[in-house]
Structures are given as structure tokens and as C-alpha cells.
Amino acid sequence: MYFWQFRVYQRPLLHPLQTHHGLWEIREGIIIRLEAEDGRIGWGEIAPLPEFGSETLSAAILFCKSLENPLSITSIFSIPEQFPACQFAFESALEDLSIENQSRELEPKNYSYLLPTGAAVFPCLDDILAANQTNTYKWKIAVNSLAEELNLFEKLIDRLPRGIKLRLDANGGLSIAESKIWLKIADECQIIEFIEQPLPPSQLEEMLQLSQNFTTGIALDESVANLRQIEECYQRGWRGIFVIKPAITGSIQGLINLWKKYPLDLVFSSVLETNIGRKSALRLAQEYPKKERALGFGVQQWFNNSDPDWLEKLWTTSANN
Ligand SMILES: O=C(O)CCC(=O)c1ccccc1C(=O)O
Ligand SMILES: [Mg+2]
């Protein structure tokens, strides 16, 4: 049995993140602290993304308030699937308890760096390129008009050195006609690794069709936000890339079972979680046997990470839950 506590946190982004879903200014979530009978502590993070169909923060808070204390391993593995971010958090806290995990080297180097959206990329591009060893970058599209974005895109690829790969993430915001235009350009310019979620999740058939007609890869993200959706898309014929955001996918063990059962091409990706969720997500990404694709965790520039005592402060200054 584990005695446990939770704290709600709010973390402002240094610059708002602009995507097809809107402007994002504050990351909110919940930190979980599990205490084993021998005194070992394990940390976990609930970082919901309701735009992707996960539970909301308020649903997660209600769930935490309803959960037993002390908590058994059985109840951790019985968290219902409508709380995927909670499943991830409690399973990661459990893993974090084991000393073997705590001493393991994390932070692999192969990250995809998330660029500022739209024209905001230009003023800082040289600094970003100089500061990063990575060869993979991601740029959000389907935020401004197609004409404007095509124009910016041409200027952007002109300024990228040889050997750089670019991911374009539409967050489901393109039409079929616009997707065809982007895919045609991507096929011609040979610098695009993949286009991520061009159409909304309701248009899987159309994305299957697009994937047959172009050579540039398509990655599903919003369409495969939880374990059930990953399996469903695979069974409906998706053989392209799956973007996996471990913090909202659900059970960690469930995800490992899925990649052992099917030959899935996975790209791991952040939900702008804190270092607690990040550590568990990266640990999971390291267990995935195929390592060719850069991890979508090049997002630390969006936060001020300079306070090593943030967790201690969160625990002592916020209400005791
Ligand atoms: O995947 C990446 O490379 C960066 C992370 C990212 O784009 C993202 C971050 C938070 C919420 C949604 C998304 C997304 O992939 O759509
Ligand atoms: Mg995405």
C-alpha cells in the first residue's frame, strides 16, 4: 500500500504556443507523490490535453479526490481508461519508486526542436540553429492562411542548412485540398520528414487515401491519442507514423504491449509536461526498440527551467490535498 498526495500546478509558457487549436499560455497539471511503506518516494504527473480527448484537469482533480488513500497496486492498474493521464501518472510514480529506474541515464540527444509558429520563427532562427546539434525541427501549420504559410515555408527552407529534416504539424487543421498541396510540395522539396495530422480525426479514410497518393509520410497524432485509438487506427489499415504522447496515451504497460503486438512506427512526443512527466515519458521512449526517429521533446525552450526547488515550493506553498 502507498500513502499518496497530490498538488495542482500552473506553469506559464515563456511565449504562448500558437497551434490550430489556439493560443496556449499556461500549462496546468497535477503532481503525484507516492510513498512506499519503507519510505521510498515516487513522483508522477497528470498533464491532461483535453483538446486531444484526454480527461480535463478538473475531472482529474475530482478523480484524485475520490481515490483511496493508502492506495494499492491493484487500484493503480484499475484506473478507468477515461482517465488516461491519471493512468500514466500513477504508473510512472510506481516505476519511479524503484531505485533501478532512478539511477538510469536519461535525456537522449536525438530531439526534434519545436520552432516558433509562423513568421515568429525568423528573428530567432539563426540562434536556434547555432544552439542545437539536432537535425530535426518541427513547425506548426494550419494557423494562418495557406497562401501566407506557403510563402513563409519557402523562406524558412531557404534558411535551413543541408541535412535538416522538418516536421509540419497541422493539428488537424487542413482541408483535403490544402493537404494535397502541402504533400505535393513536401514530395518535391525532400526536406519534410512527415506531415502530422493534416485532417481532423473524423477523416481517417481520407488520410489513408492521402498516404497512398504521396511519398512523404503522414503521422497521426490527435487520431491516436489513447491506446484504444492506436489499435483502432492500426486495424483500419493505418501503416504510417503514430505520434505517441505518453502522458495522455494511458497505461504505460498497455502501450508496451501494443508495440510488441503490432509493428508500429512510433514518434514520441511531449505535451509540455514538467520534468516529472518528461522523465517517465523519455524512459518509455528509451524502451522502444526502434530509435531512428527524433523524439518530439525539444520543447524546453517554452519554459523557465531554472528553479531547481520548484517541486519543494509547490509542495510546501500550495494547499494540502
Ligand atoms: O511533438 C513535438 O515535437 C513537440 C510537441 C508538440 O508539438 C505538442 C505539444 C503540446 C501539445 C500538442 C503538441 C502536438 O504535437 O500537437
Ligand atoms: Mg501534433
Side-chain angles (χ1 to χ4, degrees):
M1 300 293 270
Y2 304 97
F3 281 101
W4 72 281
Q5 301 178 343
F6 71 96
R7 295 286 189 278
V8 178
Y9 72 82
Q10 276 98 22
R11 231 182 150 207
L13 278 64
L14 287 176
H15 311 279
L17 174 58
Q18 196 178 14
T19 77
H20 183 71
H21 297 298
L23 260 191
W24 195 5
E25 293 174 289
I26 301 175
R27 200 328 151 220
E28 294 179 292
I30 304 171
I31 305 292
I32 302 294
R33 179 188 189 270
L34 285 191
E35 187 169 349
E37 278 158 15
D38 60 10
R40 283 173 303 133
I41 307 290
W43 300 95
E45 177 175 355
I46 303 172
L49 208 56
E51 301 91 328
F52 280 55
S54 89
E55 69 271 52
T56 59
L57 177 66
S58 46
I61 295 172
L62 284 176
F63 176 76
C64 286
K65 288 185 171 161
S66 75
L67 201 58
E68 64 188 27
N69 202 349
L71 187 60
S72 66
I73 293 199
T74 316
S75 33
I76 289 178
F77 286 98
S78 313
I79 297 174
E81 68 176 17
Q82 63 268 33
F83 300 99
C86 294
Q87 290 180 319
F88 169 78
F90 283 93
E91 281 184 43
S92 357
L94 208 52
E95 275 187 12
D96 190 46
L97 280 169
S98 86
I99 291 147
E100 189 208 336
N101 280 330
Q102 288 178 355
S103 56
R104 206 184 286 169
E105 176 64 36
L106 287 172
E107 293 290 328
K109 303 244 153 43
N110 192 18
Y111 291 138
S112 164
Y113 183 100
L114 182 59
L115 294 167
T117 306
V121 66
F122 295 117
C124 36
L125 189 59
D126 288 333
D127 289 342
I128 292 170
L129 292 171
N132 284 283
Q133 303 114 306
T134 182
N135 65 349
T136 308
Y137 291 84
K138 176 164 167 177
W139 194 53
K140 296 286 184 181
I141 58 170
V143 177
N144 300 300
S145 75
L146 178 69
E148 194 172 341
E149 288 184 346
L150 291 176
N151 180 30
L152 295 176
F153 173 75
E154 234 174 86
K155 297 200 170 88
L156 176 60
I157 60 170
D158 270 354
R159 285 184 54 186
L160 293 178
R162 267 172 200 285
I164 294 285
K165 283 182 291 181
L166 191 61
R167 299 172 173 178
L168 296 176
D169 189 358
N171 286 108
L174 298 177
S175 66
I176 296 172
E178 289 168 336
S179 302
K180 287 180 178 166
I181 292 171
W182 276 114
L183 283 160
K184 182 166 180 285
I185 291 171
D187 281 358
E188 286 161 4
C189 73
Q190 302 269 313
I191 165 176
I192 306 302
E193 182 186 4
F194 55 74
I195 297 190
E196 187 169 323
Q197 196 73 41
L199 304 175
S202 59
Q203 294 187 291
L204 182 69
E205 287 307 321
E206 289 81 354
M207 288 189 280
L208 279 162
Q209 192 67 51
L210 289 173
S211 68
Q212 315 254 289
N213 295 336
F214 297 91
T215 54
T216 301
I218 298 177
L220 298 182
D221 186 8
E222 281 85 341
S223 290
V224 292
N226 60 47
L227 297 180
R228 185 183 289 274
Q229 291 170 342
I230 295 168
E231 187 151 28
E232 197 177 294
C233 285
Y234 184 83
Q235 281 168 352
R236 287 176 65 185
W238 187 259
R239 297 294 178 274
I241 301 148
F242 293 73
V243 175
I244 301 294
K245 298 182 175 308
I248 57 160
T249 303
S251 165
I252 295 174
Q253 197 48 58
L255 178 58
I256 295 173
N257 293 343
L258 269 189
W259 84 50
K260 288 185 174 161
K261 186 168 172 194
Y262 305 112
L264 304 175
D265 183 357
L266 305 185
V267 170
F268 292 87
S269 166
S270 163
V271 297
L272 307 189
E273 57 282 270
T274 74
N275 282 338
I276 291 179
R278 178 183 177 90
K279 195 172 111 183
S280 329
L282 289 175
R283 187 192 292 144
L284 182 64
Q286 285 194 327
E287 282 185 42
Y288 180 61
K290 291 181 250 159
K291 301 276 195 290
E292 299 80 45
R293 297 203 186 269
L295 304 176
F297 280 83
V299 294
Q300 286 190 302
Q301 64 281 14
W302 297 89
F303 293 104
N304 175 2
N305 293 304
S306 66
D307 184 359
D309 300 325
W310 71 272
L311 187 57
E312 206 179 303
K313 286 181 191 159
L314 177 70
W315 233 259
T316 50
T317 61
S318 77
N320 204 30
N321 292 294

